[in-house]
Tab-separated table of all heavy atoms in Angstrom:
chain	number	residue	atom	x	y	z
A	143	ILE	N	0.837	-1.205	0.000
A	143	ILE	CA	0.000	0.000	0.000
A	143	ILE	C	0.871	1.254	0.000
A	143	ILE	O	0.617	2.204	-0.752
A	143	ILE	CB	-0.950	-0.018	1.218
A	143	ILE	CG1	-1.997	-1.125	1.057
A	143	ILE	CG2	-1.633	1.335	1.400
A	143	ILE	CD1	-2.848	-1.357	2.285
A	144	LYS	N	1.919	1.243	0.818
A	144	LYS	CA	2.836	2.381	0.874
A	144	LYS	C	3.598	2.525	-0.435
A	144	LYS	O	3.757	3.646	-0.965
A	144	LYS	CB	3.812	2.184	2.030
A	144	LYS	CG	4.898	3.252	2.129
A	144	LYS	CD	4.320	4.606	2.500
A	144	LYS	CE	5.423	5.609	2.730
A	144	LYS	NZ	4.884	6.936	3.152
A	145	ASP	N	4.052	1.410	-0.993
A	145	ASP	CA	4.846	1.437	-2.213
A	145	ASP	C	4.046	1.965	-3.395
A	145	ASP	O	4.573	2.692	-4.247
A	145	ASP	CB	5.373	0.033	-2.513
A	145	ASP	CG	6.299	0.007	-3.717
A	145	ASP	OD1	7.327	0.711	-3.697
A	145	ASP	OD2	5.989	-0.710	-4.689
A	146	VAL	N	2.761	1.623	-3.458
A	146	VAL	CA	1.911	2.075	-4.559
A	146	VAL	C	1.693	3.584	-4.493
A	146	VAL	O	1.599	4.260	-5.517
A	146	VAL	CB	0.562	1.332	-4.539
A	146	VAL	CG1	-0.437	1.957	-5.503
A	146	VAL	CG2	0.772	-0.137	-4.900
A	147	GLY	N	1.600	4.132	-3.283
A	147	GLY	CA	1.427	5.576	-3.159
A	147	GLY	C	0.221	6.016	-2.365
A	147	GLY	O	-0.072	7.211	-2.290
A	148	PHE	N	-0.492	5.078	-1.745
A	148	PHE	CA	-1.591	5.473	-0.872
A	148	PHE	C	-1.019	6.098	0.405
A	148	PHE	O	0.101	5.788	0.805
A	148	PHE	CB	-2.456	4.265	-0.504
A	148	PHE	CG	-3.284	3.734	-1.650
A	148	PHE	CD1	-2.851	2.640	-2.389
A	148	PHE	CD2	-4.482	4.329	-1.987
A	148	PHE	CE1	-3.601	2.151	-3.447
A	148	PHE	CE2	-5.240	3.844	-3.051
A	148	PHE	CZ	-4.802	2.750	-3.777
A	149	ASN	N	-1.795	6.967	1.020
A	149	ASN	CA	-1.346	7.546	2.289
A	149	ASN	C	-2.321	7.304	3.435
A	149	ASN	O	-2.049	7.675	4.575
A	149	ASN	CB	-1.066	9.042	2.150
A	149	ASN	CG	-2.280	9.839	1.668
A	149	ASN	OD1	-3.426	9.427	1.869
A	149	ASN	ND2	-2.026	10.961	1.024
A	150	THR	N	-3.467	6.691	3.143
A	150	THR	CA	-4.483	6.443	4.165
A	150	THR	C	-5.098	5.060	3.963
A	150	THR	O	-5.422	4.684	2.830
A	150	THR	CB	-5.598	7.500	4.117
A	150	THR	OG1	-5.021	8.793	4.264
A	150	THR	CG2	-6.624	7.276	5.211
A	151	VAL	N	-5.257	4.331	5.046
A	151	VAL	CA	-5.912	3.022	5.024
A	151	VAL	C	-7.152	3.089	5.901
A	151	VAL	O	-7.086	3.556	7.049
A	151	VAL	CB	-4.979	1.908	5.534
A	151	VAL	CG1	-5.724	0.581	5.656
A	151	VAL	CG2	-3.777	1.752	4.607
A	152	VAL	N	-8.281	2.661	5.358
A	152	VAL	CA	-9.507	2.526	6.142
A	152	VAL	C	-9.740	1.041	6.361
A	152	VAL	O	-9.935	0.286	5.408
A	152	VAL	CB	-10.711	3.158	5.426
A	152	VAL	CG1	-11.972	2.974	6.269
A	152	VAL	CG2	-10.472	4.633	5.158
A	153	PHE	N	-9.698	0.602	7.612
A	153	PHE	CA	-9.861	-0.809	7.940
A	153	PHE	C	-11.226	-1.020	8.587
A	153	PHE	O	-11.587	-0.374	9.565
A	153	PHE	CB	-8.747	-1.264	8.881
A	153	PHE	CG	-8.837	-2.721	9.263
A	153	PHE	CD1	-9.140	-3.696	8.321
A	153	PHE	CD2	-8.624	-3.118	10.574
A	153	PHE	CE1	-9.218	-5.035	8.672
A	153	PHE	CE2	-8.703	-4.446	10.943
A	153	PHE	CZ	-9.001	-5.410	9.985
A	154	ASP	N	-11.966	-1.945	8.027
A	154	ASP	CA	-13.330	-2.246	8.462
A	154	ASP	C	-13.272	-3.118	9.717
A	154	ASP	O	-13.104	-4.333	9.624
A	154	ASP	CB	-14.055	-2.976	7.317
A	154	ASP	CG	-15.484	-3.323	7.642
A	154	ASP	OD1	-16.062	-2.688	8.540
A	154	ASP	OD2	-16.041	-4.216	6.968
A	155	VAL	N	-13.425	-2.513	10.888
A	155	VAL	CA	-13.304	-3.265	12.143
A	155	VAL	C	-14.650	-3.807	12.625
A	155	VAL	O	-14.684	-4.658	13.519
A	155	VAL	CB	-12.671	-2.402	13.253
A	155	VAL	CG1	-11.289	-1.923	12.843
A	155	VAL	CG2	-13.561	-1.223	13.614
A	156	LYS	N	-15.756	-3.329	12.028
A	156	LYS	CA	-17.080	-3.792	12.462
A	156	LYS	C	-18.002	-3.825	11.246
A	156	LYS	O	-18.662	-2.847	10.921
A	156	LYS	CB	-17.647	-2.867	13.541
A	156	LYS	CG	-18.982	-3.314	14.139
A	156	LYS	CD	-19.369	-2.382	15.290
A	156	LYS	CE	-20.708	-2.763	15.885
A	156	LYS	NZ	-21.840	-2.479	14.963
A	157	PRO	N	-18.063	-4.954	10.549
A	157	PRO	CA	-18.902	-5.057	9.350
A	157	PRO	C	-20.380	-5.204	9.696
A	157	PRO	O	-20.778	-5.103	10.866
A	157	PRO	CB	-18.352	-6.308	8.664
A	157	PRO	CG	-17.827	-7.138	9.787
A	157	PRO	CD	-17.313	-6.171	10.822
A	158	LEU	N	-21.195	-5.454	8.668
A	158	LEU	CA	-22.643	-5.551	8.871
A	158	LEU	C	-23.021	-6.628	9.882
A	158	LEU	O	-24.018	-6.493	10.591
A	158	LEU	CB	-23.341	-5.850	7.542
A	158	LEU	CG	-23.349	-4.767	6.465
A	158	LEU	CD1	-24.170	-5.222	5.268
A	158	LEU	CD2	-23.892	-3.459	7.000
A	159	SER	N	-22.249	-7.692	9.952
A	159	SER	CA	-22.586	-8.794	10.852
A	159	SER	C	-22.511	-8.393	12.322
A	159	SER	O	-23.005	-9.119	13.192
A	159	SER	CB	-21.651	-9.979	10.600
A	159	SER	OG	-20.323	-9.656	10.964
A	160	GLY	N	-21.872	-7.245	12.618
A	160	GLY	CA	-21.714	-6.826	14.010
A	160	GLY	C	-20.541	-7.493	14.694
A	160	GLY	O	-20.190	-7.139	15.824
A	161	GLU	N	-19.912	-8.467	14.025
A	161	GLU	CA	-18.715	-9.098	14.573
A	161	GLU	C	-17.543	-8.125	14.458
A	161	GLU	O	-17.552	-7.235	13.619
A	161	GLU	CB	-18.421	-10.398	13.832
A	161	GLU	CG	-19.538	-11.423	13.955
A	161	GLU	CD	-19.352	-12.590	13.018
A	161	GLU	OE1	-19.297	-12.361	11.796
A	161	GLU	OE2	-19.254	-13.729	13.505
A	162	LEU	N	-16.531	-8.325	15.281
A	162	LEU	CA	-15.424	-7.381	15.354
A	162	LEU	C	-14.143	-7.993	14.809
A	162	LEU	O	-13.942	-9.213	14.861
A	162	LEU	CB	-15.222	-6.935	16.798
A	162	LEU	CG	-16.454	-6.275	17.439
A	162	LEU	CD1	-16.242	-6.066	18.921
A	162	LEU	CD2	-16.775	-4.962	16.748
A	163	ALA	N	-13.269	-7.132	14.300
A	163	ALA	CA	-12.018	-7.597	13.712
A	163	ALA	C	-11.003	-7.986	14.768
A	163	ALA	O	-10.035	-8.684	14.462
A	163	ALA	CB	-11.441	-6.510	12.796
A	164	TYR	N	-11.199	-7.561	15.989
A	164	TYR	CA	-10.205	-7.746	17.043
A	164	TYR	C	-10.856	-8.426	18.253
A	164	TYR	O	-12.086	-8.381	18.421
A	164	TYR	CB	-9.635	-6.383	17.462
A	164	TYR	CG	-10.690	-5.474	18.063
A	164	TYR	CD1	-10.895	-5.435	19.443
A	164	TYR	CD2	-11.509	-4.691	17.257
A	164	TYR	CE1	-11.881	-4.632	19.995
A	164	TYR	CE2	-12.494	-3.887	17.804
A	164	TYR	CZ	-12.674	-3.861	19.171
A	164	TYR	OH	-13.669	-3.082	19.707
A	165	PRO	N	-10.078	-9.042	19.132
A	165	PRO	CA	-10.650	-9.618	20.360
A	165	PRO	C	-11.168	-8.506	21.268
A	165	PRO	O	-10.425	-7.621	21.659
A	165	PRO	CB	-9.461	-10.348	20.990
A	165	PRO	CG	-8.467	-10.530	19.884
A	165	PRO	CD	-8.649	-9.349	18.983
A	166	SER	N	-12.440	-8.555	21.600
A	166	SER	CA	-13.079	-7.491	22.366
A	166	SER	C	-13.631	-8.027	23.682
A	166	SER	O	-14.013	-9.195	23.794
A	166	SER	CB	-14.216	-6.867	21.541
A	166	SER	OG	-15.008	-5.999	22.324
């Protein structure tokens, strides 16, 4: 992502299912 030239990442931590990307 950095090499291509993006400067911002949006990470989906809570999708429609309501489940979470991380241990909560």
Side-chain angles (χ1 to χ4, degrees):
I143 291 172
K144 175 67 174 182
D145 184 59
V146 169
F148 289 98
N149 58 26
T150 303
V151 173
V152 179
F153 180 43
D154 181 21
V155 301
K156 184 175 178 290
L158 291 184
S159 66
E161 299 169 301
L162 302 171
Y164 63 93
S166 170

